[in-house]
Amino acid sequence: MLRLLGALLIAGASLAIGLSYIAGEARKLNDLRSFVLLLKEMRGELGVRASPLPELLELLGRRCGGCGGGFAASLHSRMNELGEKEFSQLWNECLTVFSRYLESEEREQLQTLGLCLGRYELDRQLSELEICINFLDSRIAGYSSLLPEKRRMGLGLACSLGALLLIVLI
C-alpha cells in the first residue's frame, strides 16, 4: 500500500513539474505580448498627441492589462522621484519587477528603450520604440512557434523522469 502511495506521489510530482514548466513558458509569452501592446500604445500616443511621459504612463497604466499595464502604472507612481533619480533608472527599477519571466536579451532591449524615452527628440523616441517593438514581435513569433513543442517536451520529459524514478524505487 505504501509503495502504491509513493508511486502516486512521484507521478503527481513529475506531472506538476511538467505543468510548471509549461506555465512558465506560457507566462513568458503573455508577458512579452503585454509589453508589446504597451509599447504599441505608447508609440501611438506619442506619435499622435506627443503626451508628456507622466500623463502617458497614467493613461497606459489604465488602458493596458497584464504586466505591461502594471509596469506603466508602477512607473507612473514613481514619477515624483524624477528629481532624485533619472527616468532611465526608474524605468529599469520597474522593469526589474515586471520582467521576471523575460530573457536577458528582451530585458536589455527594453532597458535601451528606457535610456531614450523622455531624453531625445520625438522622432528618435519613436524609432527606438519601433526597433523595440519589432525585436519583441520577432521573439513572440519564435516563442509561439516553439510553444507546442515545448509543451510536449516538458510533459514528456517530466513524466519520463517520474517513470524512471518509479522503476528505480520499486
Side-chain angles (χ1 to χ4, degrees), residues 8 35 40 42 48 58-62 73 81 96 113-115 124 144 166:
L8 286 174
F35 270 106
K40 285 180 178 179
M42 186 180 287
V48 173
E58 180 183 15
L59 176 71
L60 294 175
R62 283 184 279 129
E81 300 175 34
T96 301
L113 176 63
L115 290 172
R124 176 142 181 223
S144 294
L166 280 174

CSV table of all heavy atoms in Angstrom, one decimal, residues 8 35 40 42 48 58-62 73 81 96 113-115 124 144 166:
chain,number,residue,atom,x,y,z
A,8,LEU,N,2.1,7.0,-6.6
A,8,LEU,CA,1.2,8.1,-6.9
A,8,LEU,C,1.8,9.5,-6.7
A,8,LEU,O,1.6,10.4,-7.4
A,8,LEU,CB,-0.1,7.9,-6.2
A,8,LEU,CG,-1.0,6.8,-6.7
A,8,LEU,CD1,-2.2,6.6,-5.8
A,8,LEU,CD2,-1.5,7.1,-8.1
A,35,PHE,N,3.9,43.6,-23.0
A,35,PHE,CA,4.9,44.6,-23.2
A,35,PHE,C,4.8,45.2,-24.6
A,35,PHE,O,4.9,46.4,-24.8
A,35,PHE,CB,6.3,44.2,-22.9
A,35,PHE,CG,6.7,44.4,-21.5
A,35,PHE,CD1,6.8,43.3,-20.6
A,35,PHE,CD2,7.0,45.7,-21.0
A,35,PHE,CE1,7.2,43.5,-19.3
A,35,PHE,CE2,7.4,45.9,-19.7
A,35,PHE,CZ,7.5,44.8,-18.8
A,40,LYS,N,3.2,49.5,-28.3
A,40,LYS,CA,2.4,50.0,-29.4
A,40,LYS,C,1.5,51.1,-29.1
A,40,LYS,O,1.4,52.1,-29.8
A,40,LYS,CB,1.7,48.8,-30.0
A,40,LYS,CG,2.5,47.9,-30.8
A,40,LYS,CD,1.7,46.7,-31.4
A,40,LYS,CE,2.6,45.8,-32.2
A,40,LYS,NZ,1.9,44.7,-32.8
A,42,MET,N,2.0,53.1,-26.6
A,42,MET,CA,2.9,54.3,-26.3
A,42,MET,C,3.3,55.0,-27.6
A,42,MET,O,3.3,56.2,-27.7
A,42,MET,CB,4.2,53.8,-25.5
A,42,MET,CG,5.1,54.9,-25.1
A,42,MET,SD,6.5,54.3,-24.2
A,42,MET,CE,5.8,53.8,-22.7
A,48,VAL,N,0.8,60.6,-32.1
A,48,VAL,CA,-0.4,61.5,-32.4
A,48,VAL,C,-0.4,62.7,-31.5
A,48,VAL,O,-0.6,63.8,-31.9
A,48,VAL,CB,-1.7,60.6,-32.2
A,48,VAL,CG1,-2.9,61.5,-32.4
A,48,VAL,CG2,-1.7,59.5,-33.3
A,58,GLU,N,0.2,57.3,-17.0
A,58,GLU,CA,-1.0,57.1,-16.3
A,58,GLU,C,-2.1,56.5,-17.2
A,58,GLU,O,-2.8,55.6,-16.9
A,58,GLU,CB,-1.5,58.5,-15.8
A,58,GLU,CG,-2.8,58.4,-15.0
A,58,GLU,CD,-3.3,59.8,-14.6
A,58,GLU,OE1,-2.8,60.8,-15.1
A,58,GLU,OE2,-4.2,59.8,-13.7
A,59,LEU,N,-2.2,57.0,-18.5
A,59,LEU,CA,-3.1,56.5,-19.4
A,59,LEU,C,-2.9,55.1,-19.8
A,59,LEU,O,-3.8,54.2,-19.8
A,59,LEU,CB,-3.1,57.4,-20.7
A,59,LEU,CG,-3.9,56.9,-21.9
A,59,LEU,CD1,-5.4,57.2,-21.5
A,59,LEU,CD2,-3.6,57.7,-23.1
A,60,LEU,N,-1.6,54.8,-20.0
A,60,LEU,CA,-1.2,53.4,-20.4
A,60,LEU,C,-1.4,52.4,-19.2
A,60,LEU,O,-1.8,51.2,-19.5
A,60,LEU,CB,0.2,53.3,-20.9
A,60,LEU,CG,0.5,54.1,-22.2
A,60,LEU,CD1,2.0,54.1,-22.5
A,60,LEU,CD2,-0.3,53.5,-23.3
A,61,GLY,N,-1.2,52.9,-18.0
A,61,GLY,CA,-1.4,52.0,-16.9
A,61,GLY,C,-2.9,51.6,-16.7
A,61,GLY,O,-3.2,50.5,-16.3
A,62,ARG,N,-3.8,52.5,-17.1
A,62,ARG,CA,-5.2,52.2,-17.1
A,62,ARG,C,-5.7,51.4,-18.3
A,62,ARG,O,-6.5,50.6,-18.2
A,62,ARG,CB,-6.0,53.5,-17.0
A,62,ARG,CG,-6.0,54.1,-15.6
A,62,ARG,CD,-6.9,55.3,-15.5
A,62,ARG,NE,-6.2,56.5,-16.1
A,62,ARG,CZ,-6.7,57.3,-17.0
A,62,ARG,NH1,-7.9,57.1,-17.5
A,62,ARG,NH2,-6.0,58.3,-17.4
A,73,ALA,N,1.8,51.6,-14.8
A,73,ALA,CA,1.2,52.1,-13.6
A,73,ALA,C,2.3,52.3,-12.5
A,73,ALA,O,2.3,53.3,-11.8
A,73,ALA,CB,0.1,51.2,-13.1
A,81,GLU,N,9.7,60.8,-8.1
A,81,GLU,CA,11.1,60.7,-7.8
A,81,GLU,C,12.0,61.2,-8.9
A,81,GLU,O,13.3,61.1,-8.8
A,81,GLU,CB,11.4,59.2,-7.5
A,81,GLU,CG,10.6,58.6,-6.4
A,81,GLU,CD,10.9,57.1,-6.3
A,81,GLU,OE1,12.0,56.6,-6.6
A,81,GLU,OE2,10.0,56.3,-6.0
A,96,THR,N,12.7,45.7,-13.7
A,96,THR,CA,13.2,44.5,-12.9
A,96,THR,C,12.1,43.8,-12.2
A,96,THR,O,12.0,42.6,-12.1
A,96,THR,CB,14.2,45.0,-11.8
A,96,THR,OG1,15.3,45.6,-12.5
A,96,THR,CG2,14.8,43.8,-11.0
A,113,LEU,N,15.6,51.0,-24.6
A,113,LEU,CA,14.5,52.0,-24.8
A,113,LEU,C,14.3,53.0,-23.7
A,113,LEU,O,14.1,54.1,-23.9
A,113,LEU,CB,13.2,51.2,-25.1
A,113,LEU,CG,11.9,52.0,-25.3
A,113,LEU,CD1,12.0,52.8,-26.5
A,113,LEU,CD2,10.7,51.0,-25.3
A,114,GLY,N,14.4,52.5,-22.5
A,114,GLY,CA,14.3,53.4,-21.3
A,114,GLY,C,15.3,54.5,-21.3
A,114,GLY,O,15.1,55.6,-20.8
A,115,LEU,N,16.5,54.2,-21.9
A,115,LEU,CA,17.5,55.3,-21.9
A,115,LEU,C,17.1,56.4,-22.9
A,115,LEU,O,17.6,57.5,-22.7
A,115,LEU,CB,18.9,54.7,-22.4
A,115,LEU,CG,19.6,53.8,-21.4
A,115,LEU,CD1,20.7,53.1,-22.1
A,115,LEU,CD2,20.0,54.5,-20.2
A,124,ARG,N,13.3,60.3,-32.7
A,124,ARG,CA,14.3,59.3,-32.2
A,124,ARG,C,13.6,58.4,-31.2
A,124,ARG,O,13.8,57.2,-31.2
A,124,ARG,CB,15.5,59.9,-31.5
A,124,ARG,CG,16.4,58.9,-31.0
A,124,ARG,CD,17.8,59.2,-31.1
A,124,ARG,NE,18.6,58.1,-30.5
A,124,ARG,CZ,19.7,58.3,-29.8
A,124,ARG,NH1,20.1,59.5,-29.6
A,124,ARG,NH2,20.3,57.3,-29.3
A,144,SER,N,6.1,31.5,-30.0
A,144,SER,CA,4.8,31.0,-30.3
A,144,SER,C,5.0,29.7,-31.2
A,144,SER,O,4.2,28.7,-31.0
A,144,SER,CB,4.0,32.0,-31.1
A,144,SER,OG,3.6,33.1,-30.3
A,166,LEU,N,10.2,5.9,-10.6
A,166,LEU,CA,9.4,4.8,-10.1
A,166,LEU,C,10.0,3.4,-10.3
A,166,LEU,O,10.0,2.6,-9.4
A,166,LEU,CB,8.0,4.9,-10.8
A,166,LEU,CG,7.0,5.9,-10.3
A,166,LEU,CD1,5.8,5.9,-11.2
A,166,LEU,CD2,6.6,5.6,-8.8
